[in-house]
Structures are given as C-alpha cells and as structure tokens.
C-alpha cells in the first residue's frame, strides 16, 4: 500500500461534505459580525452596545436560537473529518505533510488574529490539529466516547466560570475591559475603531491575546471533542450521505426540534430577565448543550438534501462555497474590516444596528455563493486554498483548470 500523500483530487471530494462546510462558513458570519460591528461584550451581554428593541432584538433572538455555536460546531466537526480524509487511518501513513499544513495554518492564523481580527479560529484549529490527528485510527465508538468526555469537561469549565462571574459581588456592574463596559471605556474602544486601522490594532491585538487564553483553556475540550466526533461521523458514512434517508430525516426533526426548543425558551427567559448576571450560567449551559443537538440536526438535514440527484444544481453554490471555505472565511474578515474599521476602511463600527448587520450578512452570503461557483469554473481552488496547499507541499500546485 502506498503511503505517499497527494493533494485531494476533485474526483475524490464528497459533495455532501463540501456543501455542509459551505453552509457552516456562511452561518458563522451571522454570529461573527456582532464582534466585527460592535464592542465585543455585546456577544456575551447584548445590552452592552447598540439597540436591543424591535427588529434589533429579534435579530439577536434569531441569531441566538439558530446560529450561536451551531455553525462553528459544524465547521469544527468537518475539520476533524478532513484530517482523516487527508491523512488516512494507515499506521504507516506519513504525518509530515499534516504537520506542515498545521504549522502554516498556525502562521496564517496568528497574522489573521493579531493583525486583522481577534475572533480568529485558525490558531486554535491548528493547535488542535496536532492533537486530533493522533486519534485518526480510533474506532468511531472510541472517538465519540472521548469526544463527549472532552466536550463535557469543557462545558463544566465554561458554565462554572460564568456561574462564578455572575455570583461575585457587583456582578453586572459596568467595568473596564468587562463585557458590560463603562461608558468611558466603550467610547474609547469605539473611537479607536472608527479612527483608523492602525489606531485600533493595539485593541485588536489585546483582544486576540485574551481570546487565545479562553480558547486554549475553557474551549479546548469542546474543540477537540467535536473534531473527534467529526472523525467518527466521517468513518461511519454519516458525513458522506451513506445513511438511510429516513434516519437522516428522523435525526433532523428530533435534534433540531429539541435543540431549538431549548434555545427558544432560554432566549426568551434571558430577554425577560434583562440578561441578569445570575441567569447567565443557565443560558450558557443550555446553549452549550442545545447547540450540539441543533448542529447534529442541521448536518442530518443537509445529508438528506445531498441524496437526490435532482437537487445537484441547488447544492452546487453551497458546495462551491465549501470548497473555498478558507478563502471565504478570510474574505469575510477583509470585507468586515473594510466596512467597520476606520481609514482606509469606512469606519462603520458602532453605527450599524443588528438589523443592518443582518442585511450585510445576507449580501455577503449571496456574493460568496455566486463568486465561489463562478471562480471554480476557471480555477481548481480558491486563492487561500491554493496558497496553503502550495506552502504545505513545498511547490506550486496547479491552479487553472
């Protein structure tokens, strides 16, 4: 058996995986735009910045119930599946290429996070990739069991941290660097981002440093666990649409129904409480668990839609976006940075309400679906995918079709 690793050919790709990845990278933006457009604390404590009444409150509710943590979960599971697909399960398969891929991803992520946007996921993905690959030969059962253990451990840490924060004296009071900032600190943050790209980079770099600490400590278990479960779902044929349609349909209805129902009730309760600090550990716990169920349900529905040949042309734009997920993810950062950070950008930070943010997301979705589909008619890869492959293989890969 040959253990030489070669680039994945178009004929070796799974449309179901590409489509799910495309949907995931698009869905992530609905959550991320809040941190691009507003003070970061508004993601944790929505009243911290911008209006929460009327349409703006409804946008928050929709994002919380249907998007928050769901699409990043899908993206993480697919990252794990991609490692098995790329490296394989052969004990003799070389992992040098995988290590180079992760090193380059780490380098790109560090630039992306510290220079452009502190919401970067590439650095934690690269670090997790060095660990997750060691489990590529585990059985699906073992992957799921250890994945759930890691997810549960991370969940306990996160919920415990939020409970402790909400139980402290003065919890919820405005404070510098807090999710609920003082007015002075909020004005400084907004002013820096509106003033210009260079003026805001110190704030961004500090944000990336704090974000990395949280990702490596509180969130690491969930990231590793979801990636391991993604490996298991690939090995069992779930992610390649090999299960029966009736099973996918049943999982989709039950998992999405349960997850969305739990989020629905909790989001309403959170709104009614005015996002009370003492309630946030409950909201965090529900979102942490329900997002897993909802993401699993979403994936099942996508696999169901991946089966009928007649739907190929409907699937094509999403599969194209998935094949260019790295490019689309980085492009989202570039577009959002131009829109919301000051000169040479437009400096809209702190001026676009949540309803306007949703309109921007819809426009980006349409543009990326269209551009990805057209681009791949002329090119084999997206530009970021091509660069990453070429750097990893230490030679320029074919680009034109």
């Amino acid at each position: 058996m040959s253990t030489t690793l070669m680039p994945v050919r178009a004929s070796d790709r799974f449309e179901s995986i590409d489509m799910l990845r495309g949907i995931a990278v698009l869905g992530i933006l609905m959550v991320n735009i809040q941190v691009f457009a507003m003070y970061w604390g508004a993601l944790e404590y929505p009243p911290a910045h911008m209006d929460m009444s009327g349409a703006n409150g409804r946008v928050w509710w929709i994002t919380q119930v249907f998007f928050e943590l769901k699409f990043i979960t899908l993206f993480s599971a697919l990252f794990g599946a991609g490692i098995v697909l790329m490296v394989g399960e052969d004990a003799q398969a070389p992992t040098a290429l995988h290590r180079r891929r992760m090193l380059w991803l780490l380098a790109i992520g560090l630039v992306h996070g510290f220079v452009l946007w502190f919401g970067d996921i590439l650095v934690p993905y690269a670090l997790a990739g060095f660990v997750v690959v060691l489990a590529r030969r585990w059985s699906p059962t073992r992957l799921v069991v250890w994945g759930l253990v890691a997810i549960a451990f991370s969940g306990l840490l996160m919920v415990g941290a939020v409970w402790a924060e909400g139980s402290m004296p003065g919890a919820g009071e405005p404070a510098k660097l807090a999710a609920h900032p003082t007015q002075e600190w909020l004005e400084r943050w907004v002013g820096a981002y509106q003033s210009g790209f260079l003026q805001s980079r110190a704030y961004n770099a500090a944000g990336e440093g704090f974000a990395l600490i949280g990702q490596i400590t509180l969130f690491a278990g969930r990231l590793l666990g979801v990636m391991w479960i993604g490996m298991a779902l690939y090995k069992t044929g779930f992610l390649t649409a090999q299960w029966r349609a009736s099973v996918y349909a049943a999982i989709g209805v039950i998992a999405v129904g349960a997850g969305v129902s739990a989020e629905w009730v909790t989001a309403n309760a959170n709104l009614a409480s005015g996002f009370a600090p003492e309630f946030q550990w409950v909201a965090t716990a529900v979102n942490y668990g329900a997002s897993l169920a909802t993401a699993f349900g979403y994936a099942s529905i996508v696999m169901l839609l991946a089966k009928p040949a007649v739907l190929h042309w409907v699937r094509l734009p999403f599969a194209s976006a998935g094949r260019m997920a790295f490019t689309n993810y980085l492009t989202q950062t570039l577009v959002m940075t131009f829109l919301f950070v000051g000169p040479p950008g437009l400096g809209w930070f702190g001026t676009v309400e949540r309803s306007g943010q949703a309109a921007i997301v819809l426009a980006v979705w349409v543009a990326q679906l269209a551009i990805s589909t057209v681009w791949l008619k002329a090119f084999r890869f997206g530009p970021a995918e091509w660069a990453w492959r070429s750097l990893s293989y230490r030679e320029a890969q074919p680009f034109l079709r």
Side-chain angles (χ1 to χ4, degrees):
M1 177 184 295
S2 172
T3 57
T4 302
L5 294 180
M6 299 296 290
V8 176
R9 299 169 298 182
S11 59
D12 295 330
R13 304 192 69 97
F14 294 100
E15 184 188 42
S16 58
I17 291 178
D18 286 336
M19 179 171 61
L20 185 58
R21 187 184 295 110
I23 291 171
V25 77
L26 296 175
I28 285 170
L29 182 60
M30 190 66 180
V31 177
N32 286 352
I33 194 171
Q34 299 174 82
V35 187
F36 280 115
M38 300 183 291
Y39 178 69
W40 65 268
L43 191 63
E44 179 180 335
Y45 177 66
H49 197 196
M50 309 295 284
D51 177 62
M52 274 291 289
S53 64
N56 296 313
R58 289 191 289 274
V59 169
W60 172 84
W61 188 91
I62 291 170
T63 303
Q64 182 67 28
V65 173
F66 295 100
F67 291 87
E68 173 67 28
L69 267 186
K70 287 77 172 175
F71 291 89
I72 190 66
T73 296
L74 292 175
F75 210 53
S76 301
L78 290 168
F79 190 84
I83 290 176
V84 177
L85 181 61
M86 181 73 188
V87 181
E89 300 181 60
D90 189 346
Q92 303 303 316
T95 58
L97 174 62
H98 173 75
R99 290 195 297 272
R100 288 199 302 272
R101 282 170 57 84
M102 295 303 103
L103 284 172
W104 279 113
L105 187 64
L106 177 62
I108 295 169
L110 288 170
V111 174
H112 177 249
F114 282 99
V115 178
L116 293 175
W117 184 54
F118 63 85
D120 170 76
I121 60 170
L122 303 180
V123 170
Y125 273 36
L127 295 175
F130 287 111
V131 177
V132 171
V133 70
L134 301 176
R136 70 187 188 278
R137 299 186 65 239
W138 288 2
S139 69
T141 300
R142 186 180 181 187
L143 286 165
V144 170
V145 169
W146 282 106
L148 291 175
V149 168
I151 290 169
F153 177 74
S154 193
L156 288 173
L157 289 178
M158 291 182 67
V159 173
V162 175
W163 173 82
E165 182 182 7
S167 301
M168 293 177 64
E173 293 297 319
K176 184 178 179 180
L177 298 177
H180 186 184
T182 62
Q183 187 61 32
E184 178 187 3
W185 178 250
L186 178 61
E187 290 174 357
R188 285 179 58 185
W189 191 283
V190 173
Y193 272 80
Q194 291 180 350
S195 297
F197 182 79
L198 294 179
Q199 292 89 329
S200 62
R201 290 311 87 188
Y203 291 83
N204 182 81
E208 174 64 7
F210 282 113
L212 276 176
I213 292 172
Q215 290 165 341
I216 293 172
T217 55
L218 297 179
F219 206 69
R222 174 156 177 144
L223 199 59
L224 292 171
V226 169
M227 288 182 182
W228 282 332
I229 291 175
M231 286 179 159
L233 292 176
Y234 172 73
K235 290 186 177 190
T236 61
F238 175 89
L239 290 174
T240 51
Q242 295 180 33
W243 290 18
R244 294 196 307 273
S246 59
V247 175
Y248 284 126
I251 293 174
V253 171
I254 295 171
V256 172
V260 167
S261 296
E263 293 272 25
W264 188 304
V265 172
T266 308
N268 286 340
N270 215 354
L271 280 169
S273 76
F275 299 93
E278 61 272 15
F279 184 74
Q280 296 316 301
W281 74 270
V282 177
T284 299
V286 172
N287 179 243
Y288 191 89
S291 61
L292 294 168
T294 305
F296 189 33
Y298 285 170
S300 298
I301 293 170
V302 172
M303 294 303 110
L304 183 62
L305 296 175
K307 283 181 167 292
V310 70
L311 295 180
H312 171 71
W313 293 108
V314 176
R315 297 190 296 260
L316 179 61
F318 297 97
S320 298
R323 290 178 61 186
M324 290 179 57
F326 194 14
T327 295
N328 284 326
Y329 174 71
L330 294 177
T331 301
Q332 288 172 5
T333 294
L334 294 175
V335 171
M336 296 299 115
T337 300
F338 174 75
L339 291 179
F340 295 109
V341 181
L346 300 180
W348 289 353
F349 189 89
T351 65
V352 180
E353 298 287 359
R354 288 174 173 83
S355 56
Q357 295 169 28
I360 292 172
V361 169
L362 290 174
V364 171
W365 286 353
V366 171
Q368 292 197 318
L369 287 169
I371 293 171
S372 297
T373 304
V374 173
W375 179 275
L376 290 176
K377 291 183 181 298
F379 300 95
R380 295 170 184 249
F381 315 108
E385 286 77 10
W386 176 83
W388 188 24
R389 285 169 178 266
S390 297
L391 290 168
S392 299
Y393 284 97
R394 297 175 176 171
E395 61 178 359
Q397 298 295 297
F399 196 30
L400 292 171
R401 286 196 175 278

